[in-house]
Amino acid sequence: MTIERNVFSTKDRLAEALADAVAENLNAGLDERGVASLALSGGSTPRRFFQVLGAREDLDWENIAVTLVDERWVDENSERSNARLVKENLLTGPASVAAFVPLYAGTPEPDATGIAKSNAALDCLPKPFDAVILGMGNDGHTASFFPGGDTLQDALNAEGPVIAINAPGAGEPRVTFTLPRLLDTRALYLHIEGDEKAQVLDKALQTGPVESMPVRAVLSQSHIPVSLFWCP
């Protein structure tokens, strides 16, 4: 797999460069289809990037659909909610008019009815994605592809769009886009910050089982190049 490495000295410089790259792909989608779609990772790492991207006035936000690559089964008001993170840091200012499509609606329970409703809504997103941004945890997970996940193989191989997953390191049940759906994109970015995660990435790039470091499934696939954005 081709991995393009982009290294930055500060988080602000990374955020600006990643926002430029994502905006270019969103504009390409808008030019071709009149609409564009974007899937974002959660956690604390992308907060600054969200703020920079959301402030851009050169994007036709009214015709951009924003969703998440994965979500925790928590109330949207929870501090652990990825939807809350996106709404508070990206969907403000110029980006406030973008359409936000959550990964589930209703009570925070990973039941079949909720998953079915999620799939129906998410299947209406413009395809392919114009940009997908993934993160990576210190255990080698990405999206909600966790080591030991009870439906990990389904999440890595099913056509999707989304699937529920439980794993020892996840903290709570999750719902995640399947890997094939995430790879159906114009551009795929891996956003990583910190020396510790750089060491985790180096290990993930070595030969080993996907089950122990699921990010290897992203790094080893041959469908689309991965653009790595990293800073200390």
Side-chain angles (χ1 to χ4, degrees):
M1 166 47 49
T2 300
I3 300 177
E4 176 191 352
R5 295 175 179 262
N6 302 278
V7 179
F8 302 89
S9 58
T10 68
K11 295 179 180 180
D12 283 344
R13 290 182 178 177
L14 185 155
E16 293 284 352
L18 184 55
D20 285 344
V22 170
E24 181 178 351
N25 285 288
L26 291 174
N27 276 324
L30 290 165
D31 289 343
E32 292 174 10
R33 301 175 301 195
V35 293
S37 58
L38 170 65
L40 300 166
S41 61
S44 59
T45 299
R47 190 183 307 273
R48 180 58 184 152
F49 158 63
F50 288 171
Q51 294 167 352
V52 173
L53 181 64
R56 293 188 71 119
E57 298 180 348
D58 60 333
L59 287 166
D60 181 11
W61 286 106
E62 288 188 346
N63 288 303
I64 296 174
V66 177
T67 191
L68 297 157
V69 301
D70 69 325
E71 179 61 288
R72 301 174 174 94
W73 283 96
V74 296
D75 186 87
E76 193 173 294
N77 293 321
S78 168
E79 292 184 356
R80 290 180 60 76
S81 167
N82 289 337
R84 177 178 173 177
L85 178 76
V86 169
K87 289 184 176 181
E88 291 182 350
N89 292 277
L90 175 75
L91 301 178
T92 60
S96 63
V97 296
F100 178 68
V101 183
L103 263 63
Y104 70 88
T107 58
E109 296 295 334
D111 57 77
T113 300
I115 291 293
K117 289 181 179 179
S118 297
N119 281 334
L122 295 166
D123 208 37
C124 295
L125 286 166
K127 297 177 184 178
F129 286 121
D130 294 288
V132 169
I133 297 91
L134 296 171
M136 186 190 71
N138 289 337
D139 59 356
H141 85 266
T142 189
S144 281
F145 312 143
F146 279 87
D150 59 357
T151 54
L152 176 60
Q153 288 304 317
D154 289 337
L156 294 178
N157 297 291
E159 291 300 321
V162 298
I163 191 169
I165 191 166
N166 290 277
E172 57 266 298
R174 308 279 188 114
V175 61
T176 185
F177 268 107
T178 62
L179 181 59
R181 181 66 179 93
L182 292 174
L183 297 181
D184 185 19
T185 180
R186 184 187 303 275
L188 180 65
Y189 301 95
L190 185 59
H191 178 183
I192 297 175
E193 296 180 1
D195 290 331
E196 183 176 359
K197 286 191 178 180
Q199 295 174 19
V200 174
L201 178 64
D202 287 342
K203 182 178 179 181
L205 288 167
Q206 299 171 13
T207 301
V210 168
E211 291 77 11
S212 63
M213 297 189 79
V215 72
R216 284 179 173 143
V218 174
L219 298 171
S220 64
Q221 52 81 29
S222 58
H223 185 77
I224 187 170
V226 177
S227 294
L228 170 66
F229 279 65
W230 178 83
C231 73

